[in-house]
Amino acid sequence: MARGKKHKLSESYVGGNVVNEHGSKNAKTQQPAKLEAKDIYYEEDGLQRVYPYYHRFATHAKGRWVGRTIFDVFSKEFRDRTKEYYEASIEKGIIELNAQKVTKDTVVRNGDMVTHFIHRHEPPVTTEPLRVVRETEDGLLVVDKPGSIPVHPTGRYNYNTVTNILQIKHGYAALYPINRLDRLTSGLLLVGLNPTVAHKVERQLVEHKVQKEYVCKVKGEFPDGKIKCSQPIRVIAHKLALNCVDPKEGKPSETEFEKLFSEDGYSVVYCRPKTGRTHQIRVHLQFLGFPIANDPLYNNVEVWGDDMGKSGALPQTTSDPKEEEEKPEPEPEQAIERPRKMVGKCDSSQKNDAWRVLVKRMENWKDRQDMMEHINDCVGEKGPGKCDKCSTPMLPDPKPSELSIWLHAWRYSGSDWTYETPLPEWAAKAADHIDRVKYCPEKA
């Protein structure tokens, strides 16, 4: 767990304005110089980190805020921080109305611009560099993305993202990401350097004119031969990034798999998705009974139960004994045994029950992870580990095994182009087998 360091990014840069240690600003007379990579990133304990910094969040007052004090709005509408934090932030001037310092009792009025300069702590990512595979004359950038780095700013990630790293460390200007890769997935990423080439390749993807080839590592002996999974997929909970097979309401999805080799209880598998649903390869492998071996979401018994989602099996209990004890006994007409297979969840009430249990198990698991992080942080050798500026708990560093999963986007091919990346270390032996299964236009 790395500590926040005193640095120009964390000490003076606030949303494009210079801010002193007391939080006062003078945007008209003090403009910061353009920040360089050394001002933003540093490496420590084998991870790429970002110096903590202030980030400007601004929004016009919502209707329900009008007539309330600024302190009441923040303490009741934004409960991720304590009342003491908001009280101190108003006093320091990092919460303001219409670019003016306020007091706790200042009343929010219709049309007010509410601004919060929040002190952000980004999660660290791998130190493995982004590798540029190719840059074409018409403006297509092909990148080999390491696991752990999101493609674009999202959630707690801003500077530690592909787009910002390419701009800050590699000097690229406008970027237009074309294909999606999950944060934990490594491999080939297509980025447009102009909207024309980005739109062109995006259309090829939409029209299924681009062949996508991945490799993954699953637990167990994957069957021989070509295996096709055509189970529809739907998003169950957007905020939890939870997806599942749903034959009734899922979107059409298709992936072909073929084992490359097996060793020490694992199989390295070639994957060729024909559609592009979120988490498609991960969900289809789980349905087949071979989830990616180190997938924290789809190979998680605490979330999916003993059947681990194989053939669409869903857990029937929330995995929390207290919650099960508190449930009222069902009425006689409701006490009907529900099938465990998702294919049996065709009527809406049963389907909702199934999703509700699954989502609750996911929430319970995430709560337990957060609690363990808090406990480990508080009992660690470095003490309680809170930021001296915003009292944000300093979360423990991710373990190397938590930075990526064994899923790699290996090769993409269009009508007149093909780009590929080196195979990752865990799939290095696949080089001896992949020629027999890889996509060949003349054989298509």
Side-chain angles (χ1 to χ4, degrees):
M1 177 181 65
R3 297 291 182 178
K5 295 185 175 183
K6 288 187 176 182
H7 192 273
K8 65 174 69 175
L9 184 64
S10 59
E11 293 295 312
S12 63
Y13 187 69
V14 177
N17 301 318
V18 174
V19 176
N20 63 27
E21 62 181 354
H22 303 294
S24 61
K25 303 185 299 305
N26 189 342
K28 294 182 179 179
T29 60
Q30 301 185 58
Q31 293 297 328
K34 183 178 178 180
L35 293 174
E36 300 178 357
K38 63 182 177 60
D39 301 322
I40 297 171
Y41 304 102
Y42 68 100
E43 294 185 8
E44 185 176 272
D45 298 331
L47 295 168
Q48 175 174 283
R49 306 177 188 276
V50 172
Y51 293 104
Y53 60 95
Y54 285 96
H55 183 77
R56 179 179 183 269
F57 286 96
T59 182
H60 284 99
K62 314 298 182 186
R64 65 180 181 274
W65 299 355
V66 175
R68 297 163 58 187
T69 66
I70 189 69
F71 177 73
D72 184 67
V73 168
F74 272 89
S75 61
K76 292 182 179 178
E77 298 278 346
F78 305 99
R79 298 187 178 182
D80 58 323
R81 305 291 180 106
T82 65
K83 290 183 178 180
E84 290 75 17
Y85 167 80
Y86 290 123
E87 186 173 9
S89 297
I90 292 171
E91 175 64 26
K92 291 178 181 177
I94 60 176
I95 290 177
E96 59 185 22
L97 286 180
N98 306 317
Q100 300 297 320
K101 187 173 180 179
V102 295
T103 68
K104 282 180 58 179
D105 299 324
T106 301
V107 174
V108 178
R109 303 189 183 281
N110 189 35
D112 280 348
M113 176 62 71
V114 182
T115 303
H116 182 195
F117 294 96
I118 190 169
H119 201 230
R120 296 188 68 174
H121 298 256
E122 289 197 32
V125 299
T126 180
T127 55
E128 185 179 347
L130 287 173
R131 189 176 69 89
V132 175
V133 176
R134 177 79 182 276
E135 181 180 339
T136 67
E137 292 183 359
D138 62 347
L140 178 64
L141 186 67
V142 184
V143 176
D144 188 2
K145 181 188 91 70
S148 81
I149 306 177
V151 173
H152 49 71
T154 179
R156 296 170 59 205
Y157 296 87
N158 180 27
Y159 288 114
N160 259 343
T161 57
V162 171
T163 52
N164 274 323
I165 291 172
L166 285 174
Q167 290 177 330
I168 296 168
K169 288 191 170 186
H170 296 260
Y172 290 100
L175 297 170
Y176 304 85
I178 296 169
N179 65 315
R180 300 190 310 266
L181 288 183
D182 298 335
R183 179 177 64 85
L184 297 176
T185 302
S186 61
L188 194 142
L189 187 69
L190 303 175
V191 181
L193 299 180
N194 59 70
T196 301
V197 72
H199 179 72
K200 175 185 174 181
V201 181
E202 283 172 354
R203 289 306 309 167
Q204 293 177 14
L205 284 165
V206 170
E207 295 169 0
H208 305 292
K209 294 179 180 178
V210 176
Q211 307 301 320
K212 299 171 286 185
E213 300 169 89
Y214 290 66
V215 291
C216 69
K217 185 175 180 179
V218 303
K219 190 171 183 178
E221 182 75 27
F222 198 82
D224 292 326
K226 190 172 293 185
I227 307 296
K228 180 186 292 186
C229 185
S230 302
Q231 293 293 328
I233 294 174
R234 66 169 289 196
V235 179
I236 304 305
H238 286 278
K239 290 185 177 180
L240 297 175
L242 185 62
N243 299 266
C244 210
V245 163
D246 184 355
K248 183 68 175 179
E249 296 187 16
K251 294 181 178 180
S253 310
E254 182 179 328
T255 315
E256 289 183 356
F257 301 98
E258 192 160 354
K259 182 175 70 175
L260 295 172
F261 69 94
S262 295
E263 184 178 60
D264 299 328
Y266 296 93
S267 298
V268 172
V269 179
Y270 168 83
C271 318
R272 194 169 154 212
K274 302 298 186 68
T275 51
R277 309 300 174 205
T278 301
H279 295 179
Q280 177 175 314
I281 294 174
R282 299 163 70 182
V283 171
H284 276 171
L285 284 167
Q286 182 198 52
F287 185 88
L288 294 174
F290 294 91
I292 293 171
N294 64 345
D295 192 328
L297 180 54
Y298 297 102
N299 189 25
N300 188 329
V301 69
E302 293 186 58
V303 175
W304 297 93
D306 294 336
D307 291 324
M308 203 72 79
K310 182 178 180 180
S311 300
L314 291 175
Q316 290 182 302
T317 64
T318 64
S319 75
D320 188 332
K322 292 183 179 179
E323 290 181 10
E324 295 304 317
E325 291 172 4
E326 294 170 359
K327 284 186 177 179
E329 290 296 322
E331 298 295 328
E333 63 269 23
Q334 295 176 323
I336 302 173
E337 183 177 359
R338 296 195 296 270
R340 297 191 69 198
K341 299 295 182 185
M342 202 173 303
V343 293
K345 305 292 181 184
C346 293
D347 72 89
S348 59
S349 62
Q350 289 184 350
K351 181 182 64 190
N352 288 338
D353 285 344
W355 302 145
R356 189 178 299 114
V357 169
L358 183 61
V359 169
K360 187 60 182 176
R361 289 175 71 102
M362 181 69 177
E363 291 173 339
N364 288 344
W365 176 72
K366 282 186 172 290
D367 287 345
R368 285 192 289 272
Q369 302 308 303
D370 292 343
M371 180 60 71
M372 288 306 299
E373 285 184 346
H374 175 72
I375 292 173
N376 291 337
D377 185 56
C378 289
V379 302
E381 295 180 359
K382 296 183 179 180
K386 290 186 177 181
C387 174
D388 58 359
K389 286 187 173 295
C390 63
S391 298
T392 297
M394 307 298 288
L395 297 178
D397 290 337
K399 301 174 184 176
S401 61
E402 297 171 339
L403 290 174
S404 63
I405 59 174
W406 290 329
L407 176 62
H408 181 81
W410 171 58
R411 191 168 78 148
Y412 274 44
S413 302
S415 58
D416 58 354
W417 55 267
T418 295
Y419 302 111
E420 69 179 59
T421 69
L423 291 167
E425 183 178 352
W426 51 263
K429 292 184 179 180
D432 299 330
H433 308 272
I434 205 162
D435 282 347
R436 65 178 168 83
V437 299
K438 71 180 183 181
Y439 171 75
C440 296
E442 58 272 15
K443 296 180 181 179

